[in-house]
Amino acid sequence: MGRITEFLIMLHAAVFGLVTRLASGWFLGLAARLMFSSVLLFYFWKSAATKVGSGALGFLSPSDGAYAQILPTVLEQAGYDTSQIAFLPYGLIVLLGTWAEFVLPLMILLGLFTRIASLSMMGFIAVMTYVDITGHHVEAQTIGAFFDAVQDSAISDQRLLWVFPLLYLVVRGPGRVSADWLLMRAYHHL
């Protein structure tokens, strides 16, 4: 029994040591970026598209829907008239929030300033969650709870899974298959 166990341990170490060496420095960062992007890039872009104003310069002027989605209580207090809402700070918050939905997921996909983009996206998701709970008053079933028997609540379960690849990217970075790696190589060659 001892030789079989010893052989299995050596085989395990050899196989998974090879896997670790082959994937080291590139695979997990790329996988985290692709996982996040394949699930959420178009989700956030579609959401952002509902927030831009009309015309070619609509990205400079958020729609009324942007205020309803991002600052519902402020819009309500203004009698649902966005012209009554001050640009500073509220209009700026809506404008930057809309741009963040376009820019941050793209930066993560490309691996461009990945750690900052991932940390910012985690903050965006936290704010989005806060607004959903306090501003849109979602029901307890949508909020869910950690360690319950229900695995599909839109907030506690889904958003926890959204944040995990971002957390990996903040801690470990995007890896060698990224714009960050190319920029760092170019910087070191100067």
Side-chain angles (χ1 to χ4, degrees):
M1 186 71 164
R3 287 185 179 208
I4 293 173
T5 303
E6 192 175 310
F7 171 75
L8 290 175
I9 290 170
M10 287 177 24
L11 180 63
H12 178 274
V15 169
F16 289 104
L18 178 63
V19 168
T20 299
R21 285 189 301 280
L22 291 174
S24 180
W26 71 275
F27 179 74
L28 289 177
L30 177 63
R33 291 184 3 251
L34 291 177
M35 183 173 75
F36 178 83
S37 299
S38 69
V39 173
L40 293 167
L41 176 79
F42 291 110
Y43 170 84
F44 282 112
W45 281 5
K46 207 170 153 184
S47 174
T50 68
K51 295 178 177 89
V52 295
S54 59
L57 298 177
F59 68 95
L60 296 174
S61 176
S63 68
D64 292 350
Y67 286 88
Q69 292 177 58
I70 297 173
L71 297 172
T73 54
V74 171
L75 183 62
E76 183 181 356
Q77 290 170 356
Y80 298 97
D81 181 2
T82 56
S83 68
Q84 300 301 311
I85 299 173
F87 180 75
L88 289 175
Y90 302 116
L92 183 61
I93 290 169
V94 170
L95 186 63
L96 294 177
T98 301
W99 290 353
E101 281 190 288
F102 281 119
V103 174
L104 294 175
L106 180 61
M107 291 173 69
I108 291 165
L109 175 62
L110 297 174
L112 179 63
F113 304 112
T114 310
R115 287 181 164 167
I116 294 168
S118 296
L119 188 60
S120 299
M121 196 75 227
M122 289 170 68
F124 185 93
I125 291 168
V127 169
M128 181 175 121
T129 299
Y130 176 79
V131 170
D132 284 345
I133 293 169
T134 63
H136 296 294
H137 308 290
V138 296
E139 67 279 355
Q141 183 180 358
T142 300
I143 297 169
F146 297 124
F147 302 105
D148 62 1
V150 181
Q151 83 292 347
D152 63 350
S153 68
I155 294 183
S156 63
D157 296 324
Q158 288 181 13
R159 294 184 188 170
L160 180 64
L161 292 174
W162 292 3
V163 168
F164 184 76
L166 298 171
L167 181 61
Y168 177 87
L169 293 168
V170 168
V171 173
R172 296 297 303 261
R176 288 192 302 255
V177 182
S178 66
D180 286 347
W181 189 78
L182 293 172
L183 287 172
M184 195 58 77
R185 276 187 59 134
Y187 176 75
H188 287 293
H189 283 97
L190 292 178

